[in-house]
């Protein structure tokens, strides 16, 4: 469960099955664009320099929509993997197509042995997804446009939240950097994050099918 | 208290941050309206020149324009930096789409650390700007530019002017950053009239052939055109020469060439943005004739709703003459601007059959895709428009046919005038079918006819016809007489006009008659199963062929 001071945002979208991946990627990438920096290079005396974050435009195939993401193939792959699993779980759940995917940013707090490190979330984004089935091509076309418009609204919502300049972890010293940032990627440095999802069965209860960790956490001893 | 005042180093840093933030803001906005996908690389090693740790390229002309507008000043209270994004059609009508405002208000945050927090927040704000520029309506419009319209930008400094956005414009806030000298805010006000316009109608259209201007018309303007490419990828060396710009209106991008759009990016320095025409790009800045033809090409690719323009089968006014596409439902009638583009070539036979009473011909232009096929083609439904399928014939099949329009409105004009009718409602292409345009919208009342020096000028607007039912005014064409443009006696042994008159109204092709047409269609349908069987048999061959194409 999120900690007391973890900020939580919830977004909801209704999409066609084939739009799930692109819609999720658009939202996740937009959040991560704001939550990634260039790679830190620590120098003497505790100063550091920051690498450069590139960006690139992405056009959706099934939605009349385009978004911008961080130029990092590793990050894109990681998100695609998570979203792909979410989509598969949605499909195979056989339910009426409801679920949610969560992106949580956390900090690690090292504990002394024998206690394992704590993960303290500081921001949680939840995207609730409702999958709709459409009857004909005309409906699909309208859906393309409508979902595109909805995603535009979501991007604006995300930016609003980002602009509040609320709590962000302090910039870490070199020894602490892995407790705040994911330093495993070679070109960018997102805050530590994890993605998980839940599929809602037809009774409306949340059934946690799998929890996935997408970055290498330190394993509990 | 003294210790809360900004140190001079901090002040210098802050000013520098704000200055470069303003410049990067302009770059992001303009680049997002170029009509192409942007991609920059991440680099783990800091290069030292990437402001705010973001890879945002600098288009030299854009920086130049921004610096000019700022004139050494920084955004301050009451002095905002604005980037105006507008749309200009090939007819010369323009419309403001968005105003991006970088403003400063008085709310100061004395505690904030300049070199660290302000800098990082400015970086975050730029990321937000990158995201927001992709979700306002103008983004999708700008991705489809180059055909019927281009997107322009203008930077100004001072008071924000939002009146050009029409009623009911919406505002989106990109973000704010507090600083010790004030709070920086970045927002966008955007027109919503177009928000529901489907941009799908532009998807099928091939690009405007801007090259045409070079081929068929003597430029009345000096050849040193003010247009220059600002494609920064082509090389930074053209960054040195910036033409002086009276009015800082410039084309963000346009691609007037035979290649697909978004290959080239042009900047045009242009004054007179408000008065129609002289229009922005060199391509468009030609005498009416040229404009007419570039319009001709462009509107040939617009898929007007016939109903919206009141165009019926016999009522096709100007848009139809470009008709390239045959409406499937009415195989013998030229429907509005062809879907596939192209102008019916009428080398030896003018429009005939059902169009006999409307003698329109079009002058295809060098470099344009027109098939040179004659109506003697055996395809029954392809009457005069073999180009209806969008097949591109040799661009060198120059067919000297002339567009004329016989309407009473033109009776008073000089004889040697070839006239073109323009859209009566500017931006009609943008109007959803059922939406009424505002009465006070300047688009409803077409601008005055342009003044040009060319003797070939004509009215670009048919008088007295509105966008809706134009049918009746075009029913009776009365040809007075005309001297066809571009005809030279030494090329053809006979005057083209004479030729035309002689071969006007030839007998109708038998294949055009309904019975035979229907009969052959029935035959076609019957033979379909057979044809399909044959194709299925040969599917391996087709696949192999497709492989070779990839």
């Amino acid at each position: 469960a999120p900690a007391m001071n973890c900020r939580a945002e919830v977004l909801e979208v209704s999409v066609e099955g084939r739009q799930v991946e692109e819609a999720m990627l658009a939202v996740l990438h937009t959040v991560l664009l704001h939550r990634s920096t260039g790679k830190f290079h620590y120098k003497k005396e505790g100063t550091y320099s920051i690498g450069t974050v590139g960006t690139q435009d992405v056009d959706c195939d099934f939605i009349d929509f385009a978004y911008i993401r961080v130029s990092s193939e590793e990050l894109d792959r990681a998100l695609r993997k998570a979203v792909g699993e979410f989509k598969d779980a949605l499909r195979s759940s056989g339910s009426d197509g409801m679920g949610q995917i969560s992106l949580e940013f956390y900090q690690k707090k090292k504990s002394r042995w024998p206690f394992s490190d704590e993960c303290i979330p500081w921001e949680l984004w939840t995207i609730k997804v409702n999958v709709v089935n459409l009857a004909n091509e005309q409906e699909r076309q309208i859906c393309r446009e409508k979902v595109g418009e909805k995603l535009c609204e979501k991007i604006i919502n995300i930016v609003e939240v980002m602009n509040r300049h609320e709590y962000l972890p302090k910039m870490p010293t070199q020894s602490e950097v892995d407790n705040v940032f994911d330093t495993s990627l070679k070109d960018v440095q997102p805050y530590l994050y994890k993605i998980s999802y839940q599929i809602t069965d037809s009774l409306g209860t949340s059934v946690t099918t799998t929890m996935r960790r997408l970055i290498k956490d330190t394993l509990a001893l | 208290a003294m210790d809360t005042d900004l140190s001079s180093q901090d002040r210098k840093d802050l000013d520098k941050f704000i200055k470069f933030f303003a410049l990067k803001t302009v770059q992001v906005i303009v680049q997002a309206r170029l009509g192409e996908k942007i991609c920059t690389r991440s680099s783990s090693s800091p290069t030292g020149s990437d402001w705010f740790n973001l890879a945002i390229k600098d288009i030299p002309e854009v920086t130049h324009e921004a610096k000019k507008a700022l004139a050494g000043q920084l955004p301050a209270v009451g002095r905002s930096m604005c980037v105006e994004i507008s749309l200009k059609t090939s007819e010369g009508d323009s419309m403001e789409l968005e105003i991006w405002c970088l403003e400063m208000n008085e709310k100061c945050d004395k505690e904030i650390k300049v070199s660290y927090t302000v800098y990082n927040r400015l970086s975050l704000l730029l990321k937000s700007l990158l995201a927001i520029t992709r979700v306002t309506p103008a983004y999708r419009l700008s991705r489809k530019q180059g055909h019927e319209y281009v997107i322009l930008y203008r930077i100004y400094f001072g008071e924000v002017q939002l009146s050009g956005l029409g009623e009911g414009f919406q505002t989106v806030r990109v973000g704010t950053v507090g600083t010790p000298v004030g709070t920086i805010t970045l927002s966008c006000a955007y027109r919503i009239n177009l928000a529901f316009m489907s941009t799908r109608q532009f998807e099928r259209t091939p690009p405007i052939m801007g090259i045409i201007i070079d081929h068929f018309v003597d430029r009345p303007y000096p050849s040193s055109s003010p247009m220059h490419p600002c494609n920064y990828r082509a090389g930074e060396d053209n960054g040195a020469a910036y033409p002086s710009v009276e009015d800082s209106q410039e084309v963000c991008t346009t691609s007037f060439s035979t290649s697909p759009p978004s290959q080239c990016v042009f900047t045009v320095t242009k004054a007179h943005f408000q008065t129609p025409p002289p229009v922005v790009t060199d391509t468009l800045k030609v005498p009416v004739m040229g404009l007419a033809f570039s319009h001709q090409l462009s509107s040939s690719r617009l898929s007007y709703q016939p109903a919206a323009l009141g165009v019926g089968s016999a009522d096709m006014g100007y848009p139809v003459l470009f008709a390239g596409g045959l409406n499937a439902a009415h195989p013998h009638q030229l429907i509005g601007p062809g879907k596939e583009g192209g102008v019916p070539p009428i080398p030896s036979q003018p429009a005939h059959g059902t169009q006999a009473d409307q003698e329109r011909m079009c002058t295809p232009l060098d470099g344009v895709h027109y098939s040179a096929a004659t109506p003697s083609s055996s395809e029954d439904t392809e009457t005069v428009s073999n180009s209806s399928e969008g097949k591109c014939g040799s661009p060198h099949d120059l067919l000297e046919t002339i567009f004329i329009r016989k309407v009473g409105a033109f009776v008073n004009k000089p004889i040697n005038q070839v006239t073109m009718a323009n859209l009566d409602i500017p931006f009609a292409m943008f109007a959803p079918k059922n939406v009424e345009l505002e009465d006070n919208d300047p688009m409803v009342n077409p601008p005055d006819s342009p003044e040009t020096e060319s003797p070939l000028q004509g009215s670009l607007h048919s008088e007295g016809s509105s966008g809706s039912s134009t049918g009746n005014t075009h029913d009776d064409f009365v040809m007075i007489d005309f001297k066809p443009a571009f005809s030279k006696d030494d090329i053809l042994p006979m005057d083209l006009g004479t030729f035309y008159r002689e071969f006007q109204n030839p007998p109708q092709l038998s294949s055009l008659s309904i019975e035979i047409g229907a009969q052959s269609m029935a035959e076609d349908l019957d033979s379909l199963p057979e044809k399909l069987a044959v194709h299925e048999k040969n599917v391996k061959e087709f696949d192999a062929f497709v492989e070779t194409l990839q």
Side-chain angles (χ1 to χ4, degrees), chain B residues 130-421:
Chain B
L130 283 163
I132 297 286
T133 44
R134 272 74 183 161
V135 303
T136 54
Y139 180 71
R140 304 203 62 220
L141 277 177
S142 66
R143 287 292 300 270
K144 296 183 160 75
Q145 68 180 291
H147 304 164
E148 291 85 14
Y149 60 87
V150 291
I151 303 293
L152 314 174
Y153 74 93
R154 181 171 81 92
I155 309 170
Y156 63 90
F157 189 71
E159 269 190 47
V160 180
Q161 306 280 346
L162 298 181
S163 49
L165 294 174
E167 282 185 23
F169 63 84
Q170 296 209 352
T171 313
V172 61
R173 173 188 265 196
V174 183
T176 63
V177 173
T179 79
V181 301
T183 298
I184 295 168
T185 72
L186 187 52
S187 60
C188 174
Y190 59 94
R191 170 185 287 275
I192 57 165
N193 307 9
L194 299 182
F196 306 106
M197 176 191 78
S198 164
T199 50
R200 275 176 289 143
Q201 63 190 330
F202 301 115
E203 278 171 7
R204 292 183 301 256
T205 63
I208 294 177
M209 302 303 182
I211 303 295
I212 58 173
I213 303 307
D214 297 324
H215 292 269
F216 75 89
V217 73
D218 290 324
R219 288 185 201 187
Y221 302 93
S223 57
S224 58
S225 113
M227 181 172 76
H228 62 276
C230 74
N231 186 343
Y232 57 83
R233 292 188 186 89
E236 303 289 339
D237 45 277
N238 45 345
Y242 303 115
S244 67
V245 178
E246 297 85 331
D247 197 13
S248 57
Q249 199 106 47
E250 291 182 331
V251 177
C252 262
T253 182
T254 185
S255 172
F256 287 83
S257 72
T258 56
S259 57
S262 71
Q263 291 291 322
C264 295
V265 171
F266 293 113
T267 291
V268 176
T269 59
K270 171 68 192 71
H272 321 304
F273 189 66
Q274 304 301 335
T275 59
V279 287
V280 183
T281 65
D282 190 51
T283 307
L284 302 171
K285 193 178 172 184
V286 290
V288 169
M289 180 55 93
L291 228 189
F293 279 99
S294 74
H295 159 72
Q296 167 187 348
L297 288 174
S298 69
S299 60
S300 75
R301 288 154 179 86
L302 290 171
S303 52
Y304 295 123
Q305 308 285 350
L309 292 181
V311 184
S313 64
D315 301 336
M316 304 294 202
Y318 31 88
V320 168
L321 66 124
F322 318 121
L326 289 186
N327 185 323
H330 304 281
H332 305 297
Q333 123 197 348
L334 298 178
I335 290 294
K339 280 192 272 239
E340 316 297 340
V343 169
I346 311 176
S348 54
Q349 293 182 8
H352 56 278
T354 54
Q355 291 85 35
D357 54 327
Q358 301 179 56
E359 291 165 342
R360 294 153 304 196
M361 295 197 291
C362 311
T363 303
L365 301 154
D366 204 7
V368 175
H369 301 314
Y370 295 122
S371 79
T374 68
S376 58
S377 148
S378 58
E379 303 300 320
D380 48 341
T381 54
E382 287 188 34
T383 65
V384 287
S385 331
N386 291 303
S387 57
S388 64
E389 295 180 15
K391 293 191 180 43
C392 303
S394 156
H396 302 296
D397 292 323
L398 237 196
L399 304 163
E400 282 192 311
T401 52
I402 298 305
F403 166 56
I404 57 145
R405 178 159 182 254
K406 36 179 193 171
V407 161
F410 295 97
V411 169
N412 296 326
K413 298 288 194 303
I415 283 174
N416 62 343
Q417 189 173 61
V418 177
T419 64
M420 294 275 295

Side-chain angles (χ1 to χ4, degrees), chain B residues 331-332 378-382 510-528 531:
Chain B
H332 305 297
S378 58
E379 303 300 320
D380 48 341
T381 54
E382 287 188 34
S510 62
S511 54
L512 281 188
S513 75
I514 301 291
E515 300 93 32
I516 298 187
Q519 185 182 36
S520 71
M521 185 157 88
E523 281 169 8
D524 284 344
L525 285 176
D526 285 338
S527 68
L528 269 182
K531 287 188 181 154

Side-chain angles (χ1 to χ4, degrees), chain A residues 25 27-29 31-37 70 72-83 101-108 119-125 169 177-185 187-196 211-218:
Chain A
L25 285 170
V27 171
L28 295 175
H29 267 305
V31 173
L32 276 160
L33 168 68
H34 290 82
R35 293 288 179 248
S36 301
T37 74
V70 168
S72 164
E73 291 318 304
E74 288 173 278
L75 184 62
D76 190 40
R77 265 200 304 271
L79 294 188
R80 283 179 184 276
K81 185 161 180 278
V83 165
I101 191 167
S102 297
L103 170 61
E104 177 192 289
F105 293 100
Y106 66 95
Q107 278 176 263
K108 272 198 288 200
C119 294
I120 305 169
W122 54 270
E123 189 173 78
L124 175 66
W125 296 84
V177 70
D178 288 307
N179 295 335
V180 174
F181 286 104
D182 176 354
T183 56
S184 67
L185 290 85
D187 43 15
V188 295
Q189 192 174 284
Y191 282 101
L192 281 175
Y193 72 92
K194 55 176 89 150
I195 297 180
S196 57
M211 298 289 288
R212 291 264 184 270
R213 294 189 186 279
L214 289 172
I215 62 127
K216 301 176 197 95
D217 280 324
T218 48

Side-chain angles (χ1 to χ4, degrees), chain B residues 35-186:
Chain B
E36 47 186 49
K37 283 163 72 166
I38 308 289
C39 179
T40 58
R41 290 182 53 218
S42 301
S43 156
S44 79
S45 321
T47 61
S49 62
D50 291 322
W51 272 94
F52 309 106
N53 309 120
L54 287 171
I56 298 171
K57 286 212 167 77
D58 286 317
I59 301 179
E61 285 88 345
V62 174
T63 302
H64 175 74
E65 284 309 308
K67 284 182 171 165
K68 242 173 47 87
L70 288 171
Q73 297 186 306
L74 290 178
V77 179
R79 290 203 317 260
S80 310
M81 187 188 75
C82 300
V83 182
E84 175 192 288
I85 300 292
S86 51
L87 177 152
K88 190 170 191 112
T89 66
S90 49
E91 292 95 36
D93 304 306
S94 70
M95 171 164 54
E96 282 175 33
L97 297 178
E98 301 171 319
I99 313 278
W100 297 83
C101 306
L102 177 58
E103 302 173 277
M104 187 76 114
N105 72 33
E106 287 138 347
K107 188 160 160 225
C108 300
D109 184 346
K110 298 272 189 206
E111 309 292 316
I112 204 169
K113 291 244 174 6
V114 168
S115 62
Y116 171 69
T117 310
V118 172
Y119 189 82
N120 286 330
R121 287 187 180 177
L122 288 174
S123 175
L124 197 70
L125 187 51
L126 273 177
K127 290 172 177 173
S128 295
L129 182 63
L130 283 163
I132 297 286
T133 44
R134 272 74 183 161
V135 303
T136 54
Y139 180 71
R140 304 203 62 220
L141 277 177
S142 66
R143 287 292 300 270
K144 296 183 160 75
Q145 68 180 291
H147 304 164
E148 291 85 14
Y149 60 87
V150 291
I151 303 293
L152 314 174
Y153 74 93
R154 181 171 81 92
I155 309 170
Y156 63 90
F157 189 71
E159 269 190 47
V160 180
Q161 306 280 346
L162 298 181
S163 49
L165 294 174
E167 282 185 23
F169 63 84
Q170 296 209 352
T171 313
V172 61
R173 173 188 265 196
V174 183
T176 63
V177 173
T179 79
V181 301
T183 298
I184 295 168
T185 72
L186 187 52

Side-chain angles (χ1 to χ4, degrees), chain A residues 43-60:
Chain A
K43 302 186 279 208
K44 288 182 288 206
E45 297 129 24
T47 61
Y48 61 92
S49 58
I50 310 179
T52 300
V53 172
T55 54
Q56 58 188 82
D57 283 309
V58 182
D59 288 339
C60 294

Side-chain angles (χ1 to χ4, degrees), chain A residues 130-178:
Chain A
N130 178 35
V131 179
V132 298
N133 291 311
L134 300 177
N136 59 50
E137 200 50 46
Q138 193 189 3
E139 284 184 17
R140 281 195 197 95
Q141 182 56 44
I142 294 174
C143 190
R144 280 184 69 100
E145 293 171 14
K146 286 270 173 270
V147 172
E149 288 168 22
K150 274 286 167 221
L151 285 177
C152 288
E153 288 172 27
K154 302 305 161 194
I155 302 305
I156 293 175
N157 294 346
I158 294 171
V159 163
E160 267 169 11
V161 172
M162 297 300 178
N163 179 56
R164 290 184 207 147
H165 301 304
E166 289 169 342
Y167 173 78
L168 283 179
K170 259 185 6 204
M171 281 301 149
T173 59
Q174 189 166 16
S175 56
E176 292 281 307
V177 70
D178 288 307

